Amino acid sequence: GQTHTLDTLNLYYTALPGTLERLTESDYVPKIEEKRRLEMRQFQSTSLKEKKTDNSNATTMSLTLKVASVTPRVLEVKKFLSPVEVQHLIDLASGAKGDVAMERSTVSASNVKSNSNNKGISKKVRGTKADARSSTGGWIHREQDVLVDTIFRRIADLLNIDDQLMRDQVEDYSSVKEGEKEPLPTHDRIVEAMQLLRYGPGEEYSAHHDFTYPSIDNRYQPKRYVTVLLYLTGEGDVVENGVRRSDSSSKNTLQGGETTFPRAITTDSHNGVKVDPQSGKAILFYNVLPDGNMDDLSQHSGGKVEKGVKYVANVWVWDPIVS
């Protein structure tokens, strides 16, 4: 498929900082943000190799998007996450970090930040448990720590949007000093929390759409317009004692778990598109057509895991606000 390249300032983490603390509203003040970015540079690189420092002083790296399907619009980005970032998310999803509650996954659920009191209180919109989805899942916000925050920033670059749209917004700009923070074209963040998912043997997610139809009474008509799916494990990977490694000789290596778009049409085939899981790879697909209508062809499924464990993470971006 056709390829496109973009640059990002949000380099790979190739080593973990000594401490990982939750970010607060003050951590997003521009001067503090820039100071943190410079401090974190010692743990980052344009290379995927762990603990490799980048002596080139490079401030950007390139990501390559490959078109997997035009109808629906599906793109693959290999090497979107570094092994250190992958392992960090697996640690969070496996309970090794101890602060993410994993429970039976639901359908039509979201986890967003409420901006109603400017305190960033989590507001969970519960879905329903169904046989169609048999994984376990949990949620983390971008403020979880600097690694997760960087992944959200990289996603913003991938989508060519301002990462400030992925944070709580100032409701009353009359209290903001001139030049301190410019008003954005939305009164709330446009991204849900990241959903971490674990699929064990026999577990799957049958064909579904990520969009839902908003109530006719909702003046904003909000919708999930794009999905970013991050693969944390791939075929041939094994997770033992919470640690991911590639070992094709192990009896517990991941088999199955592909993402299928059954209605996708390409120049080569009208029989759908399958994307195989690969650690560190991302796919993004649009749930909404350019004219604003829902794209019925964006229907997709998570194939049954035959052996091993599949870990993935979802990020849903909304237009014009999360609802």
Side-chain angles (χ1 to χ4, degrees):
Q2 193 178 49
T3 60
H4 306 271
T5 302
L6 60 86
D7 291 332
T8 176
L9 294 170
N10 298 289
L11 308 185
Y12 296 125
Y13 272 88
T14 53
L16 283 176
T19 58
L20 288 172
E21 299 179 349
R22 292 183 182 276
L23 302 180
T24 64
E25 186 176 349
S26 62
D27 289 315
Y28 290 102
V29 174
K31 289 184 179 179
I32 296 178
E33 275 191 301
E34 183 59 25
K35 180 182 178 182
R36 183 173 69 251
R37 184 187 292 272
L38 293 175
E39 291 175 346
M40 291 298 105
R41 190 67 179 82
Q42 63 183 304
F43 305 105
Q44 294 179 295
S45 175
T46 58
S47 168
L48 286 175
K49 294 182 180 179
E50 294 185 38
K51 299 181 181 179
K52 175 181 172 62
T53 56
D54 194 333
N55 298 318
S56 67
N57 294 320
T59 57
T60 63
M61 67 180 188
S62 296
L63 298 173
T64 300
L65 295 81
K66 182 178 180 180
V67 177
S69 169
V70 176
T71 51
R73 293 174 293 165
V74 183
L75 300 100
E76 289 185 71
V77 188
K78 293 183 178 179
K79 301 179 181 180
F80 185 77
L81 299 174
S82 72
V84 167
E85 293 162 349
V86 164
Q87 185 60 54
H88 182 57
L89 294 181
I90 291 176
D91 287 344
L92 290 169
S94 64
K97 301 292 185 180
D99 56 355
V100 178
M102 300 290 284
E103 53 190 34
R104 173 70 184 272
S105 298
T106 61
V107 295
S108 299
S110 66
N111 192 324
V112 300
K113 285 266 194 168
S114 171
N115 199 33
S116 59
N117 55 12
N118 269 342
K119 294 181 180 178
I121 303 299
S122 294
K123 176 182 67 178
K124 185 172 286 187
V125 181
R126 289 288 185 181
T128 55
K129 296 176 182 178
D131 292 338
R133 192 179 201 184
S134 48
S135 60
T136 55
W139 303 85
I140 54 172
H141 293 285
R142 69 173 289 180
E143 295 86 358
Q144 174 77 24
D145 54 54
V146 290
L147 265 77
V148 176
D149 179 73
T150 297
I151 293 170
F152 271 88
R153 291 173 184 270
R154 200 178 296 152
I155 290 172
D157 289 341
L158 186 66
L159 300 176
N160 194 28
I161 61 176
D162 189 334
D163 81 276
Q164 287 190 54
L165 294 170
M166 294 181 167
R167 303 203 297 262
D168 290 337
Q169 304 303 314
V170 174
E171 288 189 322
D172 181 12
Y173 278 95
S174 63
S175 63
V176 177
K177 297 178 182 179
E178 184 176 355
E180 189 176 76
K181 188 170 183 179
E182 295 297 324
L184 293 171
T186 177
H187 65 264
D188 205 347
R189 64 174 62 198
I190 65 168
V191 67
E192 294 181 48
M194 178 185 292
Q195 185 185 41
L196 301 174
L197 293 167
R198 179 189 185 278
Y199 289 85
E203 295 181 337
E204 62 184 329
Y205 195 178
S206 60
H208 63 283
H209 294 97
D210 281 356
F211 62 76
T212 56
Y213 290 94
S215 167
I216 193 65
D217 297 324
N218 191 322
R219 60 175 292 202
Y220 297 108
Q221 290 296 291
K223 57 187 77 70
R224 283 174 170 170
Y225 87 91
V226 67
T227 298
V228 179
L229 175 61
L230 309 174
Y231 295 102
L232 308 181
T233 53
E235 288 197 353
D237 285 351
V238 60
V239 178
E240 293 180 341
N241 299 319
V243 179
R244 184 201 69 86
R245 60 185 175 85
S246 296
D247 185 357
S248 58
S249 64
S250 172
K251 295 180 180 179
N252 297 316
T253 57
L254 174 62
Q255 291 184 13
E258 69 283 347
T259 303
T260 301
F261 296 84
R263 303 186 187 185
I265 300 172
T266 69
T267 54
D268 299 323
S269 173
H270 288 193
N271 296 321
V273 167
K274 287 188 178 182
V275 180
D276 292 326
Q278 182 181 18
S279 181
K281 180 168 72 175
I283 61 170
L284 70 93
F285 55 93
Y286 291 88
N287 306 300
V288 178
L289 295 166
D291 64 6
N293 286 305
M294 308 301 187
D295 188 357
D296 200 43
L297 297 183
S298 67
Q299 184 187 43
H300 56 285
S301 64
K304 183 179 293 185
V305 173
E306 302 298 338
K307 286 197 331 183
V309 179
K310 181 178 80 168
Y311 282 100
V312 295
N314 285 312
V315 174
W316 289 290
V317 184
W318 288 66
D319 180 42
I321 59 171
V322 170
S323 176

